[in-house]
Amino acid sequence: MSSEMIITVIGSALLIFGAAIIFSAAIGVLKLPDVFTRTSAIGTAAGLGVSLMIVGVVVIDFSVLNLIKGIIAIIAQLITSAIGSFVLARASYMTGSEPVSTTLPDELSHQANAT
Amino acid sequence: MGWYLWQFVLTSLQVVALILTPGRQPKPGIVRMSIDGLSDTEVTVLVVLITITPDTLVIAVDREKDILFVHGMFVDGDSEGFRKSLGQTRDRLLFGVRARPEAERKRGVLA
Amino acid sequence: MIPDIVAAIVIGLLALSVVFAVIRIWKGPTPGNAAAAGDLIFFAFIGLVAVLGLMLSITAVMDVILIAALLGFLSVLSLARLIQGGKR
């Protein structure tokens, strides 16, 4: 009985913490000045936020199969979100989104034809 | 591996702290980084590793001149220090991937 | 099984995230901003699916999350290509 309660408490804490990180990324999307810093904030939500929520689900609803699926899901989530962030940042840069003027140093600005 | 996971959690919490502190704005910067002598596979893995840590983000890859352009959220004008920490990530990756790191270190490929 | 109060907090936080992201899509000065915010909505959706699955004790939650994590970045890739107007 009590071990069940401990599992529920830990899993709930992980779920709430993950949701709070996604929420903070949403605040960042409103607050931060340019598209590159916003993409960085979303990277936090994608990496740590979703990973914590997946771990929470596995803790509450534990089985070996769920554990394997959870590990695969976290790894896939990290890799694909990284590729997504990179492609988005590259597309934004190539269509002329300038970084915010407080970006110092900006060693890319003199480099027009980066591929 | 453990080092990388620790970096990942640490920088994530840094970004969250930055966002949740009212009135604080990031001090970002874009820095060049040399990827001289890396194969295509190694460059791909390096780009993914750099982009997973939330404060750093690869914007462009120039394969002809072998340069990465990396956007960092906490550069704060210190481009040399930032480049050094990126180089640390690259060297750790190469040390794990290459078959004979000691021999290559002597030839000067690894830092 | 999770307590109702936990489910309420998590769903509330994620719903507010989606609202903020929609505001950014509305205001966003460039299409890139809108695409990034759409990415965030997708992650909030994964979280919502996880919590709803636990609430209603659906056994297929993990499968849904796994497929979502595997296929989510295809949408980002196509959005990025759309922004660039088909150029590489």
Side-chain angles (χ1 to χ4, degrees), chain A residues 44-65:
Chain A
T44 323
L48 200 58
V50 175
S51 300
L52 282 177
M53 292 197 76
I54 293 174
V55 173
V57 172
V58 172
V59 166
I60 289 178
D61 189 10
F62 186 82
S63 71
V64 177
L65 195 59

Side-chain angles (χ1 to χ4, degrees), chain B residues 25-107:
Chain B
Q25 289 294 334
K27 292 173 176 147
I30 299 178
V31 160
R32 290 174 193 216
M33 176 196 186
S34 163
I35 46 170
D36 213 6
L38 272 72
S39 71
D40 284 353
T41 316
E42 287 161 354
V43 172
T44 312
V45 177
L46 182 62
V47 166
V48 169
L49 282 182
I50 289 178
T51 313
I52 286 177
T53 46
D55 64 332
T56 54
L57 175 65
V58 180
I59 293 179
V61 185
D62 187 342
R63 266 318 253 169
E64 283 161 17
K65 295 177 194 146
D66 279 336
I67 298 171
L68 285 186
F69 294 93
V70 186
H71 179 278
M73 229 169 153
F74 303 104
V75 173
D76 198 8
D78 180 21
S79 54
E80 283 312 312
F82 184 57
R83 213 190 312 270
K84 209 171 151 193
S85 73
L86 289 173
Q88 211 180 356
T89 307
R90 176 192 58 193
D91 293 342
R92 274 177 189 264
L93 167 72
L94 289 184
F95 199 78
V97 168
R98 295 264 166 106
R100 296 174 58 213
E102 287 308 318
E104 301 206 19
R105 190 188 290 274
K106 275 179 200 152
R107 273 179 25 223

Side-chain angles (χ1 to χ4, degrees), chain A residues 31 86 104-105 107 111 115, chain B residues 24 28 30 32 58 61 65:
Chain A
K31 179 190 153 188
F86 166 52
L104 285 171
E107 298 180 0
Q111 185 87 20
T115 44
Chain B
R24 205 176 136 208
I30 299 178
R32 290 174 193 216
V58 180
V61 185
K65 295 177 194 146

Side-chain angles (χ1 to χ4, degrees), chain A residues 8 12 23 26 29-30 35 38 42 46 54 57 60 66 69-70 72-73 76-77 80 84 87-88 90-91 94-95 97, chain C residues 2-3 6 10 13 16-17 20 24 30 33 35-36 40 43 47 50 62-63 66 69-70 73 76-77 80 83-84 88:
Chain A
T8 309
S12 305
F23 180 62
V29 164
L30 280 188
V35 66
R38 282 180 202 139
I42 292 173
I54 293 174
V57 172
I60 289 178
N66 270 356
K69 283 177 193 164
I72 296 176
Q77 174 66 28
T80 56
V87 172
L88 264 185
R90 184 163 156 273
M94 286 174 71
T95 50
S97 295
Chain C
I2 50 174
V6 174
V10 172
L13 284 173
L16 272 177
S17 313
F20 286 0
R24 174 48 70 196
T30 63
N33 284 299
L40 180 65
F43 296 131
M62 263 350 258
D63 303 84
L66 181 53
L70 281 172
F73 90 119
V76 186
L77 286 188
I83 294 171
Q84 287 184 1
R88 295 196 72 245

Side-chain angles (χ1 to χ4, degrees), chain C:
Chain C
M1 289 306 102
I2 50 174
D4 282 348
I5 178 76
V6 174
I9 292 173
V10 172
I11 291 177
L13 284 173
L14 293 178
L16 272 177
S17 313
V18 173
V19 170
F20 286 0
V22 169
I23 293 175
R24 174 48 70 196
I25 289 180
W26 195 309
K27 281 172 40 179
T30 63
N33 284 299
D39 206 16
L40 180 65
I41 291 181
F42 177 73
F43 296 131
F45 166 77
I46 295 184
L48 280 177
V49 166
V51 176
L52 284 179
L54 281 182
M55 263 177 78
L56 309 173
S57 49
I58 300 166
T59 46
V61 201
M62 263 350 258
D63 303 84
V64 177
I65 294 175
L66 181 53
I67 301 295
L70 281 172
L71 297 186
F73 90 119
L74 290 180
S75 70
V76 186
L77 286 188
S78 47
L79 275 178
R81 201 168 163 79
L82 190 66
I83 294 171
Q84 287 184 1
K87 289 182 309 227
R88 295 196 72 245

